[in-house]
Amino acid sequence: GAGVSQSPSNKVTEKGKDVELRCDPISGHTALYWYRQSLGQGLEFLIYFQGNSAPDKSGLPSDRFSAERTGGSVSTLTIQRTQQEDSAVYLCASSAPGGGDSPYNEQFFGPGTRLTVL
Amino acid sequence: AQKITQTQPGMFVQEKEAVTLDCTYDTSDQSYGLFWYKQPSSGEMIFLIYQGSYDEQNATEGRYSLNFQKARKSANLVISASQLGDSAMYFCATPSGTSYGKLTFGQGTILTVHP
């Protein structure tokens, strides 16, 4: 079946502009996560959505970052007034509802969006 | 809060030999899990193996196995019979307390397999 997809794959923008990054999770996955991967900071959690619950926004680095998930499926991560330090690869992941042998559910990752802020 | 430490920035191994990638963790959760992911140069994150804290046996998935030592808080990944395609970045990660836990990742280890 189709995996997690993200668009665009690459985005170059100018400092101060807003950008939107899109994530399509695997169909039926109720949990969706955004992570950021940069050279200096490694892999950082940003935000996650679980079903209809309020999202966990504890990883968002500033109020310039926001995300929404419409209809429990597609998610958009928005970065306003981009700064050069926002340059990174933004990874989206999704995971299935609970069940099975493991109490923790494997997260399936998309290919990422490489954001470059000039 | 969870913390994952991978102390090997880079590792080298000869093709067909085994290699161990180190991972130590720190968590206050009674029940927890450890994941290993592989990230080739293409950038995708590929799930390799999972170990639950209450699993009595070390997890194995094909050529991947987990050397889980709870008392030492270590969950080292062992790759047997290394292949050139194993050259990649490897991340150890642990979720937060819930089953949908956000992952905390280690710094990663770059593995290079020599022919």
Side-chain angles (χ1 to χ4, degrees):
Chain A
V4 177
S5 61
Q6 293 186 246
S7 60
S9 54
N10 279 285
K11 177 71 177 178
V12 180
T13 190
E14 293 180 347
K15 178 181 173 181
K17 295 282 180 71
D18 297 352
V19 295
E20 285 190 350
L21 312 180
R22 177 188 167 105
C23 172
D24 272 285
I26 293 172
S27 177
H29 281 192
T30 56
L32 185 148
Y33 311 78
W34 284 98
Y35 296 89
R36 177 171 72 173
Q37 185 173 24
S38 57
L39 280 176
Q41 300 297 322
L43 266 158
E44 307 170 273
F45 162 78
L46 296 177
I47 185 171
Y48 101 90
F49 300 87
Q50 167 43 30
N52 295 322
S53 304
D56 178 348
K57 305 180 183 179
S58 59
L60 294 179
S62 77
D63 57 9
R64 296 186 295 104
F65 287 73
S66 64
E68 62 177 22
R69 188 178 185 192
T70 54
S73 181
V74 171
S75 176
T76 303
L77 177 69
T78 301
I79 309 172
Q80 296 178 311
R81 305 181 301 282
T82 52
Q83 303 293 313
Q84 289 182 331
E85 60 263 29
D86 299 335
S87 296
V89 175
Y90 290 82
L91 293 165
C92 176
S94 68
S95 65
D101 296 334
S102 165
Y104 296 101
N105 300 306
E106 171 195 346
Q107 294 181 21
F108 293 83
F109 284 79
T113 293
R114 181 174 297 277
L115 174 66
T116 303
V117 182
L118 301 176
Chain B
Q2 282 73 16
K3 184 177 179 182
I4 296 286
T5 303
Q6 294 180 253
T7 56
Q8 306 156 316
M11 288 287 286
F12 296 88
V13 66
Q14 207 69 29
E15 194 178 9
K16 299 180 185 177
E17 292 186 348
V19 62
T20 297
L21 306 183
D22 294 342
C23 170
T24 58
Y25 59 90
D26 189 8
T27 177
S28 55
D29 294 334
Q30 292 298 312
S31 175
Y32 53 88
L34 282 306
F35 289 89
W36 276 92
Y37 281 86
K38 171 185 178 181
Q39 188 177 41
S41 56
S42 56
E44 69 211 274
M45 294 283 283
I46 302 167
F47 165 75
L48 295 178
I49 195 167
Y50 164 84
Q51 177 86 44
S53 59
Y54 286 101
D55 292 335
E56 293 186 355
Q57 291 190 319
N58 287 341
T60 60
E61 288 286 347
R63 294 185 300 110
Y64 304 107
S65 61
L66 243 162
N67 183 1
F68 185 50
Q69 298 186 44
K70 209 169 173 179
R72 295 184 176 186
K73 293 193 172 182
S74 73
N76 299 337
L77 176 70
V78 180
I79 305 175
S80 63
S82 297
Q83 303 173 355
L84 295 178
D86 294 335
S87 294
M89 176 78 92
Y90 289 80
F91 291 98
C92 181
T94 189
S96 65
T98 68
S99 61
Y100 294 101
K102 59 198 180 190
L103 291 174
T104 299
F105 288 88
Q107 306 91 314
T109 297
I110 300 175
L111 176 66
T112 304
V113 181
H114 289 303

